[in-house]
Amino acid sequence: MDKRSKIALYSIGAIIVLLMIAEVTKPKPLNWRNSYSAADKIPLGCYVLYHELEPFTSNPLKTSDKSLYERLKDFNTSENTTLILINDYISIEDEGSEALLNFVENGNSVFISTNYIYGTFADSLNIEIDRDYDGFFKDPSKSIFTNKALKNNERLFDDVIENSYFTSIDTTKATVLGYMKDEEELLKEVNFIKTPYGNNGGAFYVHSNPFAFTNYHLLNDKADYAATVLSYLPTENNLLWDNYYKSGRKVIKSPLRFVLSNPALKWTFYISLLGLIVFVIFKGKRTQRIIPVVEPLKNSTVEFTQTIGDLYYQHGDYSNIIHKKIMYFLEFIRASYYLETNEFSERFIQKLAVKSSNTVQDTKSLIDLITYLKSKNNHTEIELISLNKQIEHFTKNNI
């Protein structure tokens, strides 16, 4: 990798790290989603209420993370219990509705605070909750109690509110415990009732303003109102907090969702993934880079010699060619047979004939021709051809 590529890669890595740091350290925007979960500290969670309920019972506050059918089908009825259901809507399946009605019929109580209510249990109680979209849907409204002694605990909800109220109740059984009024007190609607069910003292307490129990309002001068509403519940009962029918219920269906739901684990996962990608890039370049084919150097001596020879031959410079052929032949003798070529004596001829596997006559004939040609200044083509033939004949045994 060249220097420019390394600088670019390091720059990109530095930018990614800075973006991660900025993402982690930046202030988190306020989460205004409906939750009502006991674990959520966001404005519309119920963390404060859940932890303030413990003084209401001498026994530990229990939590249910199951559906009503699963939780109540085998419920122990030896001690009376109050089930608390708070959410922006309550929708209970038929099996759960039947279990809930049996639960109250056995002398237990249920507190429900919601903007909407669905299920066969609501039909059995003749309860309907709705809102006036053309009226004061999100306008300021005052929640009051029918008991005038509780007037000091009435509160005006002027923001973060959806004004729902009862459009149907069983007037033969239900007791109205509270109302809501618009700011001009021109409109008055029921928002809190008690409906007995069964012959064992069980009852439904239904309230239509779940926002009153969220962290936002409890920490903004509405705690007295919420406490007063809950004071209507039987104080001797155990408390069972429902954490299943919640808009903010956390549903973890895979390990990855759990990892991504936790900020620390989420960034650990992202950084590990980034590191794996960088590793693959570098490792891939190390092991998969194409190896260039290096052609071996060509021996062009023969071609060069042939070209030069052709050039001399075309110009008729036979003397030069003969001179070079003699010179190369004598070098061949020195390199191959280790003989001195300064003097062509009879002894030299005999040694050369033996070492080259030629006859003394052929060797003498070639040496005599070389001696003759070296004594001349000008040569003919015929002499060149004769010299070439004899050299080829002499060296054929050494090929």
Side-chain angles (χ1 to χ4, degrees):
M1 183 180 293
D2 58 14
K3 185 176 180 181
R4 181 176 297 178
S5 300
K6 287 183 178 179
I7 293 174
L9 186 61
Y10 292 152
S11 300
I12 293 173
I15 292 173
I16 293 174
V17 171
L18 290 175
L19 289 175
M20 287 182 176
I21 294 173
E23 182 67 23
V24 171
T25 57
K26 75 176 183 180
K28 293 184 179 180
L30 202 58
N31 187 350
W32 285 96
R33 68 182 177 89
N34 292 338
S35 171
Y36 301 97
S37 172
D40 280 338
K41 298 180 181 180
I42 60 177
L44 299 185
C46 284
Y47 179 86
V48 174
L49 175 64
Y50 180 80
H51 287 82
E52 291 296 325
L53 281 176
E54 293 183 355
F56 280 82
T57 177
S58 58
N59 297 321
L61 175 63
K62 297 181 180 180
T63 302
S64 173
D65 293 311
K66 299 179 180 179
S67 67
L68 287 178
Y69 174 74
E70 293 177 304
R71 186 67 180 85
L72 301 180
K73 64 179 180 179
D74 299 320
F75 191 80
N76 183 6
T77 58
S78 60
E79 296 181 350
N80 288 339
T81 300
T82 298
L83 172 65
I84 299 177
L85 291 159
I86 301 175
N87 198 39
D88 52 346
Y89 69 93
I90 299 293
S91 179
I92 302 174
E93 66 283 356
D94 292 344
E95 295 84 356
S97 293
E98 183 178 351
L100 188 62
L101 292 172
N102 292 334
F103 174 75
V104 177
E105 192 174 15
N106 290 327
N108 300 293
S109 300
V110 174
F111 174 76
I112 299 174
S113 185
T114 183
N115 293 131
Y116 299 100
I117 191 168
Y118 307 100
T120 55
F121 85 96
D123 297 334
S124 300
L125 300 176
N126 193 24
I127 294 175
E128 290 184 9
I129 298 177
D130 206 344
R131 59 183 56 168
D132 183 5
Y133 289 97
D134 296 328
F136 62 115
F137 170 38
K138 289 193 176 183
D139 291 343
S141 63
K142 187 174 184 180
S143 291
I144 64 175
F145 299 101
T146 55
N147 187 348
K148 301 300 182 183
L150 301 176
K151 185 174 181 61
N152 290 335
N153 294 335
E154 298 172 353
R155 290 294 184 272
L156 176 68
F157 292 86
D158 53 359
D159 62 349
V160 191
I161 189 71
E162 294 179 5
N163 295 311
S164 298
Y165 51 86
F166 289 91
T167 57
S168 174
I169 61 174
D170 188 348
T171 56
T172 62
K173 296 181 179 180
T175 301
V176 177
L177 303 177
Y179 296 91
M180 70 172 187
K181 291 182 178 181
D182 63 349
E183 203 167 13
E184 291 79 15
E185 299 191 3
L186 299 176
L187 181 64
K188 180 180 179 181
E189 299 289 355
V190 176
N191 74 341
F192 186 26
I193 65 170
K194 173 185 177 181
T195 300
Y197 189 81
N199 300 318
N200 295 311
F204 285 91
Y205 298 83
V206 187
H207 183 263
S208 65
N209 180 13
F211 292 92
F213 301 96
T214 59
N215 300 326
Y216 178 82
H217 285 299
L218 291 181
L219 298 176
N220 285 278
D221 192 34
K222 306 297 190 296
D224 288 345
Y225 174 79
T228 303
V229 171
L230 294 177
S231 68
Y232 281 92
L233 304 179
T235 57
E236 69 278 3
N237 285 10
N238 297 330
L239 294 181
L240 177 62
W241 174 274
D242 168 71
N243 215 32
Y244 181 84
Y245 296 92
K246 301 294 184 184
S247 299
R249 178 165 63 98
K250 293 179 173 60
V251 180
I252 300 176
K253 295 182 178 179
S254 68
L256 184 59
R257 176 174 291 187
F258 173 76
V259 170
L260 296 180
S261 65
N262 187 298
L265 293 178
K266 178 177 70 174
W267 281 108
T268 301
F269 173 74
Y270 286 156
I271 293 173
S272 300
L273 187 62
L274 175 63
L276 180 61
I277 293 173
V278 173
F279 172 79
V280 170
I281 293 174
F282 278 95
K283 188 68 175 177
K285 286 195 172 185
R286 268 185 177 276
T287 59
Q288 298 180 10
R289 182 181 298 172
I290 298 175
I291 300 175
V293 178
V294 179
E295 296 289 343
L297 296 175
K298 294 182 179 180
N299 188 354
S300 58
T301 305
V302 176
E303 291 82 355
F304 176 75
T305 303
Q306 185 176 359
T307 302
I308 297 299
D310 291 342
L311 184 63
Y312 284 133
Y313 187 80
Q314 290 175 4
H315 287 78
D317 193 357
Y318 306 120
S319 296
N320 204 338
I321 297 175
I322 288 174
H323 172 71
K324 286 182 170 51
K325 287 187 73 67
I326 292 173
M327 182 177 62
Y328 292 144
F329 177 69
L330 296 179
E331 176 62 29
F332 169 76
I333 292 174
R334 289 192 294 270
S336 301
Y337 307 130
Y338 306 103
L339 296 174
E340 294 293 335
T341 58
N342 298 328
E343 182 181 355
F344 298 151
S345 61
E346 290 295 330
R347 183 180 177 83
F348 168 78
I349 294 173
Q350 289 183 2
K351 286 184 178 181
L352 180 60
V354 172
K355 289 188 175 185
S356 64
S357 300
N358 287 284
T359 63
V360 175
Q361 183 179 357
D362 290 340
T363 304
K364 187 176 185 334
S365 175
L366 176 57
I367 295 301
D368 289 343
L369 178 60
I370 290 174
T371 303
Y372 169 71
L373 293 175
K374 289 179 67 175
S375 65
K376 294 182 62 175
N377 293 325
N378 297 313
H379 304 83
T380 62
E381 182 180 359
I382 295 174
E383 291 173 334
L384 174 60
I385 294 173
S386 177
L387 175 64
N388 187 67
K389 285 181 177 180
Q390 289 200 42
I391 290 176
E392 288 182 350
H393 176 74
F394 183 85
T395 58
K396 67 179 180 180
N397 295 327
N398 295 275
I399 298 177

